[in-house]
Amino acid sequence: MKINNMGSMGINPYKRNAEKNAQASLPSQGKEDKVEISSKAIDLQQTNEVVKARQEKVQAIKTQVENGTYTIDPKAIAKGLLQFYQK
C-alpha cells in the first residue's frame, strides 16, 4: 500500500519556523536604535555629582578635625555672614 502526502508538498514545518526565526533575528536596515536623555535625567546626574563632591569635602573635613589640623578662617566666616544678611 502506498501513502501519498496530500497537500504538504514536501514542506518541512520545522525548517520553515527556523527560517522565520533567522529572519527575525537579523537587524532591519531601515530601523535604528535611539536613546534620548531628558533634561530631568541630566539634572539628576549633575545633582549626584554635586552630592558626591559634597560627601568628599565632608569626609576631608572630618579627617582634619580628627587629626587636629582643621583651621577656621574667621575673616571668611564674617564675610559670608555679611553677604548673607545684606541680601
Side-chain angles (χ1 to χ4, degrees):
M1 180 157 111
K2 186 175 182 182
I3 300 175
N4 292 331
N5 292 334
M6 299 293 283
S8 67
M9 304 267 193
I11 297 173
N12 185 348
Y14 298 107
K15 185 176 180 182
R16 187 178 343 153
N17 193 19
E19 289 173 355
K20 283 183 184 178
N21 289 340
Q23 288 178 354
S25 67
L26 293 175
S28 60
Q29 294 176 357
K31 295 182 180 179
E32 185 176 305
D33 291 338
K34 189 175 183 181
V35 176
E36 293 182 18
I37 300 175
S38 68
S39 60
K40 286 185 179 182
I42 292 171
D43 290 341
L44 286 174
Q45 287 177 343
Q46 291 174 350
T47 303
N48 287 338
E49 291 174 7
V50 170
V51 169
K52 288 179 185 177
R54 187 173 294 156
Q55 288 174 346
E56 289 174 1
K57 286 182 181 181
V58 168
Q59 187 61 34
I61 292 172
K62 281 183 181 181
T63 55
Q64 289 177 357
V65 169
E66 289 173 357
N67 294 337
T69 58
Y70 182 71
T71 57
I72 299 171
D73 184 12
K75 289 183 181 181
I77 293 173
K79 187 176 182 180
L81 285 170
L82 282 173
Q83 289 176 353
F84 177 76
Y85 285 111
Q86 286 177 350
K87 286 183 182 180

